[in-house]
Amino acid sequence: MLIARMLAQLVDLFAGFAILIGSFLIISPVLYNVGLDPMLIAVLMMIAVVLLIFSMQYPFMRVNQSVGKAFFRLEIVTTDRHRPLTVSILVQREVFLKLFTCFFICLPVLWGKPGWHEISTETKVVWKSKTQKQGGSNDV
């Protein structure tokens, strides 16, 4: 599971970088040719990249996954059976906790322990199965 999780993270990063690079190669020149101020173009590009990445991940987050986790048949489940897993929790986990500080808080995952992003959101990653219910025991 560790290798699948690491590869899923790489797929997510690659997809994000593809959107970032594509946006700057396609949208930025169009805005520049319109004659907008370079500072305004930079702000608009940041907003566009965030919205594009979120719009790519949102359909997957609705089914407790990310693009990479879906590719490797992984799923995020809650460890607190009294609290449902919502998109806002997944955004907190995947963006605010994992993406911005993953180099420090994801290290325990390498030793099979939950990372800080999992502890603080009360989630874990399991193999997705067709008959699995949320909170099932498919974790490896």
Side-chain angles (χ1 to χ4, degrees):
M1 163 130 7
L2 175 62
I3 292 174
R5 288 183 72 174
M6 290 175 22
L7 291 174
Q9 182 65 29
L10 287 175
V11 168
D12 288 338
L13 287 173
F14 177 76
F17 281 131
I19 287 176
L20 177 71
I21 292 168
S23 297
F24 276 94
L25 290 176
I26 297 169
I27 300 172
S28 181
V30 171
L31 293 176
Y32 184 76
N33 288 335
V34 171
L36 295 177
D37 180 55
M39 186 63 143
L40 179 60
I41 292 173
V43 170
L44 291 173
M45 289 304 302
M46 285 189 285
I47 293 170
V49 166
V50 168
L51 290 176
L52 286 170
I53 290 174
F54 182 75
S55 66
M56 173 190 65
Q57 291 284 11
Y58 183 73
F60 294 95
M61 287 184 175
R62 293 194 53 169
V63 292
N64 301 342
Q65 294 180 307
S66 66
V67 172
K69 286 179 183 63
F71 188 78
F72 289 98
R73 298 195 57 214
L74 299 172
E75 181 179 29
I76 303 167
V77 297
T78 183
T79 57
D80 181 358
R81 294 178 189 223
H82 301 292
R83 184 186 70 165
L85 191 58
T86 62
V87 171
S88 62
I89 292 171
L90 293 174
V91 168
Q92 177 187 0
R93 173 196 158 93
E94 296 292 321
V95 178
F96 296 116
L97 295 175
K98 191 162 88 175
L99 183 62
F100 292 140
T101 59
C102 193
F103 294 109
F104 302 110
I105 63 177
C106 292
L107 288 178
V109 173
L110 295 176
W111 289 274
K113 297 180 180 178
W116 189 66
H117 62 290
E118 294 176 322
I119 295 169
S120 63
T121 57
E122 297 176 327
T123 59
K124 65 180 177 179
V125 175
V126 297
W127 292 108
K128 184 176 177 92
S129 70
K130 294 177 183 173
T131 59
Q132 175 187 345
K133 294 182 180 175
Q134 193 166 357
S137 59
N138 279 3
D139 57 299
V140 175

